[in-house]
Each structure stands twice: as structure tokens, then as C-alpha cells.
Amino acid sequence: MLNLSPFARQVRFVRAWKSAAIGATLGAAGAAGWATASWLGKADPTPAELAVAIAGSAVLGAIIGAVKPVKESALRASVDRRAGLENRLTASAVEVDFADEIRADAESKLANVKPSAIYPVRLGRWHAGALAATMIAASIFLIGSTPILLSPQEKAARAELARKGKVLERITKESFKDAEAENKLSPAERRLLDDARRLQRDLERNRIKPEEALQKANELQQQALELAKKGAQDSQKFLQQAETAMEKMERAELAKAGMSEVSPQMLQMPQAQRSQMKAEAEKQLKDIQRQLAEIQNRLDEIKKKLEQKGLSEEERKKLEAEQKALEAQRKRLEEEAKAAKELADALKLSERAKGVLEKMRNHAVMEEIRALAQKMAKQNQQAAKSGQPKLTKAQLEELRQKMEDLLAQLQDDAAMEAYLKDLLEAMKNAGECQGQCLRPGSLGAKLASLLGIRGGGGIDDDDNFMDSGHVNMLNKPEEGKGKTFATSVTGTRRETGEESYIEIKAPTMLGNRTSVPYKSVLPSYNRKAEEALNRKEIPKEHEKRVREYFKSLTK
Amino acid sequence: MQEDAKWFRETFEAVRQEVARSVVGQAEVVEGVLAGLAANGHVLLEGMPGLGKTLLVRTLSESLELGFSRIQFTPDMMPADVTGTQVLGENRAFEYRPGPIFANIVLADEINRATPKTQSAMLEAMQERAVTAAGKRHQLPEPFLVMATQNPVEQEGTYPLPEAQLDRFFVKLIVPYPTKAELSEIVHRTTSREEVAPARVAGQNDVLRMRQIVRSVVVDPEVLGFALSLVVGTHPEGEGASNVAKRYARYGASPRGAQSIVTLAKVFALLSERQNASKGNVLRALKPTLRHRVLLNFEAEADSITADAFLDGVAEQVGKADLDPVRL
């Protein structure tokens, strides 16, 4: 039996070689059409996509050529013809008496024939066609993508659009790099990213009018803002959880020390302020007591006069009106006295309470948490500078893992454990929003703020973006702030440039003047209080007091 | 088979060399004549007078130790002059006297000078290999080979052979004019004192054996298909008709033509030291076997298309259609 396998393999190889060229030619022709459509603005292929179309067609062609069957009878005739074997191979398949002799003759001749000699691998018309078609496709694409056929004005306009396209590319790359690399973009983010890239390509290739590009860019910006706002809202929610956890922990610590009535916020005051405030409260209490004594004396006098006979009706009415006004004033002063006394008592207690919280905050575990928060804050600051608004899921996961480790170490401290559990829950929630929530100024920065660490800029309570603002703890009352203590945040609003703003974080506790108009901040605090009440975060025994307090303020 | 093939080549070569001692040049004609002898086919030689046709045939018969007779055809020759006739014998009875056709090798010289009637008698004997006279059939000797010569039909006083009779010739060989060198050699040999007497290098049985060996050569379907395509390609009508045939042919080659081309290809295969015929052998056999079997039309004559040119056109078209079965 003649061994024609090497020839069959060579035939397959040559067929694959030629079919690849045919496939590449067809693919390149298709790519040329695609590039033409791109030139006309009907399609949007990338160079890589065009290359894949050509290469894919070539590979497909090669596969088809390689798997195409080779009939043995045809191969015999073909080898006969190409090797000049004078039909020895085809004759060897004929059954005659001396078939062995014919076969031996064929084998001896076939032994001198190399498959590659009769089926040479060489460049043919299809290869030239593939090269030409590829060059045509590339030329069409390049001509359609480059400004060589444009006037100087058109070139300038196109260069400007291309430059904007590059900027857009950089922005989208920096904004979505991590999330895209980890395939964690939400559907909305994916749509936004695709739209931005499409716009970028249109700009670079001058396939879009400037007016249209501007309109599209505005639409994309609006979508981006909405996405960011949603993320900010999510982060606010998680921040509130963290805040609640922190307050609960602090209140639990104070309650454990028998000082449940002490506000944790009060403990953040510097010692000098506290002393000053305490002195003022005591002085105010004395003043009130003095005023009350004076009012009481006057009321006694009025009472004696009213008991005397011989008063005219007009004098009596006047005395009664004065008595009524004084009683009202006394009532108010009594309330103020009560409040001042409570404040004074609280300030006395706060000395001890601060010690309790200091002890808690100086706890080794809290130190670690603080270190974590510092890391988060630093990352947020870096992110704000580099334009990368997110922490990655991996980073979140790392922090969460460390929190869990700390939690394991703190099982003996119920309050600390509860706090950390809440904090951990907040972190998990942050992780579930796939990094979207951890933009500068969001959870990481706010946690840092909670823990007394200065953080970066971000999003304020009204969901406005800020440029790398900073948090200040004011050591003295603002000018004209009277007897209040304020914790304020200063910064600049992005949409209004360098306009400064101040937000008062602490509620007014005493005095009759505040750093900002009273009515402008009261609704916000009132709302927060109601929310806290609704969430059952206020101890039940204090709910009534809180309600009455805000009710009195709104009168 | 290899031994037989070797013997065939050696014998063939020996006869050829022996003929070449007397006949200068004409290598293809000599080979064609010997092939006809080996293939049991009659040979028609066409050429101008004096080109050595008769010498060739006579030398061949002498070197093969076969019975030889020569018939010079003339317009007044009768069929009985060829096949033999009844004569009144000494015993006062008619007896058959065989004509010159009763020989192993018959040289029918200038056959186209005889009338069609006489040609017909000759050709009947060629086909039947027997002669019937006075109701009695007389078998011709084996081997029996007719080598007819004819002058070109343009010459005056000739009777072109009918197509049906031409078909009985295995091959038709064109005897060309000798080259200057060959002519010099011819003159030298025929004018000197030396006379070459051909030696007998083969006999009657050798010829019969050669015919058996030729029949055993393998023709595979690929080659046979090619040969038949050529034959069909000469037909002016039909599925395989070539464009040349559609334009220039009145009648194409007959089945005898197919038999002849394959048989001659076998001879050529043996001469090529192969036991199988190839397409090359078929192509080589094309013109000798088919040139007298196709009848061209007036258009071909008007366009000066000869039978050989016609067959070249057929071969070219069939060759183009005969593609490599493995398409790359």
C-alpha cells in the first residue's frame, strides 16, 4: 500500500495557507467596507476590531482549508501529475496479475518525491489580494480618521475636538479604571462609560459636530451627576449608620458610668471652653436666680397692693397685668434656670464623662480603628487629588476584614463589641454598593471625621460637590455667636467656585444668638431629631424631653 | 511482466536498429510501423514518392523473417489481382490461386491509385483477415500486417480512400522529407558499392508474443478517461464535443479510434519501460491513430486547418479540462 499520508498533510497545509489568504482577503474586504462606513459615520470600528475581522477571517479560512477532505484517488492522480510519475500511482490501484510489480515501481518512484516539492507553500494571488485589501482597509480607515484631506480650519477644529476627546478619554479612564478592570460597573455606569467612549471616539475622528458634542457632553455630565448623587445618598445612609453606632457606643459608655444625661458632643469641647461655659452657666444661673428673687419680691409687693382696699379699678387692672407678665417671666426664668442648672451639672459631670470616653478612645482597639480610619482618609485625599473617586472593593474588603479581627479581640467588651458590629455593618453596606459609596467625603472621610481625624473634601449634606474642603474644629466661638459653642465645617462649593460656606454641626445650647440664623438651621436639626426618634435611637426615657425641647424651639 | 516488458523493448529496439541500417532517419515513422506490427494494426503511410516507404516496409519484413509481398496499385487493377483468383488447373478443375495479399507483411503501395472497388477488396481482407473466393473462405496468415502507402490526395490520378476504409488502419503515419543530413546519408548509401542486407532479428512468434505483451499493459481509469475524452472531443456533437470539433469537424473518431489510441499508448508505455500507459503516451498516440479518422468540414479547409492541427486543438481543450483533482 502506498503511503500517501505525507502528501495529504502537505495538501492540507497548502490549502490552509491559501484558504487563510482567501479568508484574509474577504475579511479585509469586509473591513474596508466597515472602514468606509466608519468614514461616512455609519459605523464606529476600532483599529483592533478591524484587525480582528481580518485575522479572524484568515484563521477561519485556514481551518476550513485544513479540514477539507483529500480523496486518496484524487491524491494519487495529483501526485502523478505533479511529480511526473506517468500515472504510476493511479495504475497501482488497478488490480491485475502483476499489480505488485506496478506498485513496487510506483513506490520506488514515489520515494524520490518530496511533498513540499510538488505542493510548495508559496505566496500567490490570494496573498497579494489579502495584502492589498488590508492596505486598502487601513488606508480608508486612516484617511477617514486623520485630517490629511481637511482644510486648515477644519484641521484646527478637528484637532480641538480630538483634544477634547483625549480629555474625555482620560477622565473616563481614571474614573472607571478600577471598577472596569474588576468588572464591577453597575449597568448605569457601564452605559455611561460606553456613551463617554463613543463620544470620545466621535470627537477624535471628527464624526460629530461641536454643538452636538456639547449637547452630548452635557447629557453625560448630567447622568454622571445623577449617578454620583445616588452614590452620595447611599454613603449618607451608611454614614448615618456609622454615626448612630458611634453615638450608641458613647452613650453606652456614659450610661455605664452613670452619666446618661451627658451629651457626648459636649465632651468634645476643649477644657478652657468647658470651664468658661461652666462659669458662664453658673453666672447665668445666679443672674436668673437674682432676677427670680427680684421678680418674686415684686410679685409679693403686687400681691400686697392688691389685697389693700381703696384701689381704683384702673390701678388694680394695671397691677394684675404686671403680675401676670412677671409670672410669665418667672416661669421662663425658672425654665432657664433649670436648663442652666442642668448644664452646669452636666459640665461638672462631663469632667468625669470625658475621662470615661478618653479611656475608651485610648483603648488599644480604638487606636487600631483610628489607624484604619486614617488610612481611609489618606486614600480619600489621594483619590480626590488624582481624580479617582472610589475606593476599590478590595480595599474595602481589607478594612472589613481588619474590623472583624478587632471585633474578635473585643468580645469581652459588650459596648465596644456592639459599636464595632454596627461599624462593621456600615462597612459591609459600603461594600455592597461596590465602591460607589466611598467617594471623597463619603464614608471613609466621615468616619475619619467621627474619629477626630481630618479628612478630605467630598459631598456635603445637600449633595453638593466640594473641592478638597477641610474640617476645622473651632477653638473659640465665632464672632457674635454669644454663649454658644460651634463646630463648623468650612470649604468651597464646586459649582460656585471659591464661595465659602460654614455649616454648624453642633446645635445651639445656650444664649440668644447663634453663628447662623436660628431659623435656617432649626428645621434641619428638628428633622434629624425626628428621624432619630423614629429610628428608636433615642432612649425611651428621653424621647419626651427631646420632643418638648424642639417643640419649644419652634414656638 | 517485467521480464516480458524488457524482452519487448529489446526486440523492438533490435528491429528498429536493423531497419535503421537501411532506412535513414524517419525515426518516428519506423517506430510507428513497428508499433503497428506489435499492436496488430495496419499502417497507412502517406508521403511523396521516393521517400523510402517501400524500402522501410521491405526492410522490416526481411528483418522479421516474415513473408512479404508488395502490391503496386494502379487504376486498372482488379480486386482479384489482390485477393487471388480461380484458375483452371492441370487437372481441369478450378483451383484458387492466392493473391499477393497472402503474406505476413503486405505492402500496398500507392493504394489510393487503385479504384475504390479494388481498395474495398483490400480493406475487407484487412478487416476480416480472410479472403472469400468462389464461396470459399481463405484465412490469411498470422501475423498479417498491411502497410499501405499513399500519395497526397492532391496528386492527380488518385482515388481517396473512403472514410470507412481509412478507419481500418490502425495508424496513419506521415512520411516527411528527409533533412539535408539524412539526404546526404541516403545518397551516400545508395550510390556506394556497399549494400546492406538486413539481418533477421525476430520471427513470427516473436511478433505474436509482442502482441500479447502489449495487451497486458495496464490502462487505469484515469488514463482511459483521458483517452476517451480525446476521442469524444473530436465529435462535432455530443456532451464531450470540443469547441474545435464543433466548428471544424464533420465526423469524429470512431470506436476503433478509441481502441487504437489506447493500444498504441500501451506500446509507447512499454517502450518507456513502464507496465502502465500514461496520459503522455495517450497524447503521443493521438495524431497517428486519429488523424485519418476525423473528417473535417469546409470551414476547416477554408481556414487551412489540417487534421493534425485539429487534433492539437482538441488535445489542448481536453488538457485544460483535465485539471488536477486536488484543488489547492
Side-chain angles (χ1 to χ4, degrees):
Chain A
M1 195 67 183
L2 293 171
N3 180 20
L4 295 174
S5 300
F7 295 92
R9 278 198 299 273
Q10 184 70 11
V11 166
R12 289 179 192 279
F13 184 72
V14 174
R15 277 180 177 171
W17 173 244
K18 184 178 177 183
S19 300
I22 294 172
T25 304
L26 297 177
W34 202 2
T36 305
S38 169
W39 192 355
L40 299 174
K42 306 290 184 187
D44 188 25
T46 63
E49 288 171 338
L50 293 175
V52 165
I54 297 171
S57 302
V59 170
L60 184 62
I63 292 171
I64 291 172
V67 301
K68 195 176 175 184
V70 183
K71 284 186 179 177
E72 187 179 337
S73 58
L75 188 61
R76 284 172 184 268
S78 178
V79 174
D80 262 340
R81 171 191 296 260
R82 288 171 176 267
L85 298 183
E86 299 286 347
N87 295 96
R88 283 182 169 87
L89 300 187
T90 50
S92 68
V94 178
E95 289 301 324
V96 290
D97 294 341
F98 49 97
D100 291 342
E101 292 180 17
I102 294 179
R103 203 166 292 134
D105 180 38
E107 282 177 352
S108 66
K109 296 290 181 184
L110 191 63
N112 300 322
V113 180
K114 286 185 177 178
S116 59
I118 60 173
Y119 297 109
V121 179
R122 55 190 167 201
L123 297 173
R125 286 176 300 173
W126 283 109
H127 296 88
L131 183 63
T134 302
M135 291 177 69
I136 289 170
S139 301
I140 293 172
F141 183 77
L142 289 175
I143 290 172
S145 305
T146 54
I148 57 176
L149 299 179
L150 301 178
S151 67
Q153 292 79 10
E154 289 172 328
K155 284 181 182 176
R158 186 164 181 170
E160 177 62 18
L161 286 177
R163 191 184 63 74
K164 289 178 178 174
K166 287 290 181 191
V167 172
L168 185 58
E169 181 189 15
R170 181 175 56 78
I171 292 171
T172 52
K173 198 172 181 179
E174 290 174 350
S175 301
F176 295 98
K177 184 171 64 180
D178 289 341
E180 190 185 23
E182 295 170 20
N183 199 21
K184 287 169 184 169
L185 286 177
S186 65
E189 286 176 325
R190 168 58 65 187
R191 279 196 299 274
L192 180 63
L193 179 59
D194 290 343
D195 288 346
R197 284 179 173 162
R198 195 171 296 117
L199 176 60
Q200 169 226 328
R201 286 200 292 271
D202 288 344
L203 285 170
E204 287 181 353
R205 296 175 193 174
N206 197 24
R207 290 200 197 115
I208 190 169
K209 294 178 181 175
E211 301 79 12
E212 195 180 343
L214 185 62
Q215 184 182 357
K216 184 71 179 171
N218 284 337
E219 290 174 3
L220 290 177
Q221 185 186 17
Q222 189 61 33
Q223 290 175 19
L225 280 173
E226 287 172 2
L227 275 176
K229 278 184 179 180
K230 185 175 180 302
Q233 287 168 358
D234 291 341
S235 64
Q236 276 298 109
K237 181 181 167 187
F238 302 132
L239 174 63
Q240 282 181 349
Q241 290 181 14
E243 283 176 339
T244 303
M246 183 74 177
E247 287 179 5
K248 279 171 71 176
M249 184 272 292
E250 288 180 339
R251 286 186 185 283
E253 284 296 310
L254 290 172
K256 207 162 68 177
M259 292 173 287
S260 57
E261 64 274 24
V262 175
S263 166
Q265 292 165 334
M266 196 181 293
L267 302 178
Q268 297 179 9
M269 297 176 193
Q271 181 61 37
Q273 286 182 351
R274 188 181 291 104
S275 300
Q276 184 183 356
M277 186 175 172
K278 182 180 172 187
E280 287 177 355
E282 288 172 350
K283 182 174 177 289
Q284 188 182 20
L285 184 59
K286 285 179 182 176
D287 287 345
I288 293 170
Q289 287 172 344
R290 180 179 54 75
Q291 289 176 30
L292 282 172
E294 288 173 358
I295 289 170
Q296 188 59 44
N297 290 338
R298 180 59 184 161
L299 284 171
D300 291 344
E301 288 176 8
I302 292 171
K303 189 175 179 182
K304 284 177 183 176
K305 283 181 182 177
L306 286 173
E307 288 174 352
Q308 289 174 0
K309 293 182 179 176
L311 287 175
S312 64
E313 188 63 27
E314 186 180 352
E315 288 174 339
R316 180 174 295 278
K317 283 185 177 175
K318 190 177 178 182
L319 285 171
E320 285 176 352
E322 186 181 3
Q323 183 187 29
K324 193 174 181 180
L326 286 171
E327 283 178 347
Q329 187 179 2
R330 186 180 65 180
K331 189 177 180 182
R332 183 176 59 78
L333 286 172
E334 283 174 351
E335 288 178 354
E336 287 186 3
K338 187 180 177 184
K341 188 173 183 305
E342 286 178 352
L343 177 60
D345 291 343
L347 287 169
K348 285 177 187 173
L349 288 169
S350 71
E351 293 293 336
R352 281 178 55 215
K354 188 177 181 186
V356 171
L357 291 186
E358 283 296 328
K359 182 184 173 187
M360 182 192 78
R361 287 173 176 168
N362 290 333
H363 192 281
V365 174
M366 286 304 292
E367 287 294 328
E368 288 192 48
I369 294 174
R370 190 173 285 113
L372 282 175
Q374 278 176 333
K375 185 178 177 183
M376 292 171 69
K378 190 176 178 183
Q379 285 172 331
N380 276 343
Q381 284 176 330
Q382 288 175 344
K385 286 177 186 173
S386 65
Q388 297 176 5
K390 296 176 182 177
L391 290 177
T392 66
K393 183 77 180 290
Q395 289 171 314
L396 279 172
E397 183 62 26
E398 181 191 359
L399 291 174
R400 191 183 66 78
Q401 187 60 43
K402 288 186 177 178
M403 287 288 190
E404 285 184 345
D405 294 343
L406 292 174
L407 186 60
Q409 298 172 21
L410 289 169
Q411 286 178 347
D412 57 332
D413 190 323
M416 202 75 86
E417 185 181 346
Y419 163 68
L420 286 173
K421 278 183 176 174
D422 289 342
L423 203 56
L424 201 57
E425 186 63 26
M427 295 292 292
K428 285 178 180 173
N429 290 335
E432 285 170 3
C433 69
Q434 296 185 343
Q436 175 70 31
C437 318
L438 285 187
R439 296 175 186 279
S442 62
L443 183 59
K446 302 231 172 175
L447 278 175
S449 174
L450 274 174
L451 295 168
I453 299 163
R454 298 188 176 186
I459 302 167
D460 64 10
D461 288 345
D462 294 326
D463 294 340
N464 292 320
F465 287 94
M466 298 179 291
D467 287 338
S468 61
H470 58 277
V471 180
N472 287 333
M473 296 290 285
L474 300 180
N475 293 325
K476 60 183 176 58
E478 296 282 350
E479 184 185 356
K481 303 300 186 293
K483 297 173 181 177
T484 187
F485 295 93
T487 302
S488 68
V489 178
T490 61
T492 54
R493 294 178 190 274
R494 173 176 289 176
E495 66 270 26
T496 54
E498 296 301 317
E499 180 189 350
S500 299
Y501 75 98
I502 298 173
E503 180 186 342
I504 302 302
K505 297 292 286 185
T508 300
M509 298 184 66
L510 286 173
N512 51 12
R513 288 190 294 175
T514 61
S515 58
V516 292
Y518 178 77
K519 290 182 179 176
S520 66
V521 296
L522 184 58
S524 171
Y525 293 129
N526 196 12
R527 179 173 49 81
K528 287 186 176 179
E530 287 177 358
E531 289 174 354
L533 287 168
N534 292 336
R535 291 197 299 267
K536 303 292 184 186
E537 292 172 354
I538 308 295
K540 199 168 183 179
E541 60 269 25
H542 297 299
E543 285 182 357
K544 186 179 178 185
R545 181 187 293 177
V546 171
R547 282 205 179 89
E548 286 176 352
Y549 174 71
F550 282 99
K551 192 175 178 182
S552 67
L553 291 176
T554 52
K555 277 182 180 176
Chain B
M1 177 63 190
Q2 267 184 329
E3 292 297 319
D4 291 340
K6 186 181 176 185
W7 175 86
F8 180 93
R9 280 194 303 279
E10 289 172 353
T11 306
F12 193 96
E13 196 59 33
V15 176
R16 179 156 57 184
Q17 286 181 2
E18 199 57 37
V19 172
R21 290 178 62 198
S22 300
V23 179
V24 178
Q26 313 285 8
E28 284 191 15
V29 177
V30 173
E31 186 180 70
V33 171
L34 288 174
L37 179 69
N40 192 20
H42 308 295
V43 177
L44 176 62
L45 297 170
E46 184 178 284
M48 298 300 287
L51 292 181
K53 299 187 288 288
T54 306
L55 174 66
L56 166 63
V57 177
R58 192 178 67 235
T59 306
L60 178 64
S61 63
E62 288 174 358
S63 61
L64 288 175
E65 202 177 6
L66 295 175
F68 170 73
S69 67
R70 177 172 181 261
I71 306 170
Q72 180 65 49
F73 283 83
T74 57
D76 59 349
M77 181 175 276
M78 298 302 288
D81 297 334
V82 176
T83 59
T85 185
Q86 296 280 62
V87 296
L88 189 63
E90 293 175 355
N91 53 0
R92 309 295 291 174
F94 282 101
E95 59 184 35
Y96 177 69
R97 180 173 292 177
I101 200 165
F102 282 84
N104 293 114
I105 295 178
V106 177
L107 173 60
D109 214 358
E110 295 187 288
I111 191 173
N112 59 337
R113 287 198 180 276
T115 59
K117 185 178 180 181
T118 308
Q119 290 174 358
S120 179
M122 175 75 186
L123 296 169
E124 183 186 355
M126 289 166 60
Q127 178 64 29
E128 301 297 328
R129 296 180 188 273
V131 171
T132 303
K136 189 175 180 184
R137 184 180 176 87
H138 302 277
Q139 193 70 32
L140 295 173
E142 279 291 338
F144 175 69
L145 177 69
V146 175
M147 294 192 184
T149 69
Q150 69 172 11
N151 296 323
V153 291
E154 293 83 4
Q155 296 231 332
E156 291 182 4
T158 58
Y159 298 89
L161 289 169
E163 289 77 17
Q165 293 174 0
L166 280 174
D167 195 32
R168 285 168 172 73
F169 285 100
F170 176 64
V171 291
K172 177 183 176 183
L173 303 174
I174 305 297
V175 183
Y177 281 108
T179 63
K180 191 175 179 182
E182 290 170 347
L183 193 58
S184 171
E185 179 65 20
I186 291 170
V187 170
H188 175 70
R189 285 189 190 180
T190 53
T191 57
S192 66
R193 287 184 176 180
E194 286 183 42
E195 284 194 9
V196 178
R200 297 179 187 273
V201 293
Q204 181 181 1
N205 291 334
D206 293 330
V207 173
L208 295 176
R209 185 183 175 194
M210 288 173 81
R211 290 179 179 180
Q212 290 298 320
I213 293 171
V214 168
R215 285 183 170 274
S216 63
V217 170
V218 172
V219 177
D220 64 77
E222 176 88 7
V223 176
L224 180 60
F226 182 71
L228 297 182
S229 295
L230 288 171
V231 173
V232 174
T234 63
H235 296 171
E237 294 174 351
E239 191 177 342
S242 65
N243 293 333
V244 184
K246 286 175 184 172
R247 185 175 178 187
Y248 294 123
R250 267 174 68 193
Y251 301 106
S254 65
R256 279 200 195 94
Q259 295 168 349
S260 300
I261 194 171
V262 170
T263 306
L264 185 58
K266 290 184 175 185
V267 176
F268 288 147
L270 286 169
L271 296 178
S272 304
E273 302 180 19
R274 267 185 287 105
Q275 298 155 53
N276 66 285
S278 69
K279 289 179 182 176
N281 299 144
V282 171
L283 279 175
R284 194 176 165 198
L286 175 67
K287 287 179 187 175
T289 54
L290 298 189
R291 63 164 60 108
H292 57 291
R293 288 188 166 98
V294 294
L295 186 64
L296 303 183
N297 59 18
F298 176 76
E299 189 177 355
E301 191 175 350
D303 290 346
S304 301
I305 300 295
T306 63
D308 283 4
F310 170 80
L311 292 172
D312 283 337
V314 172
E316 183 182 353
Q317 187 165 344
V318 172
K320 281 182 181 176
D322 183 42
L323 300 173
D324 188 340
V326 173
R327 302 296 302 274
L328 297 177

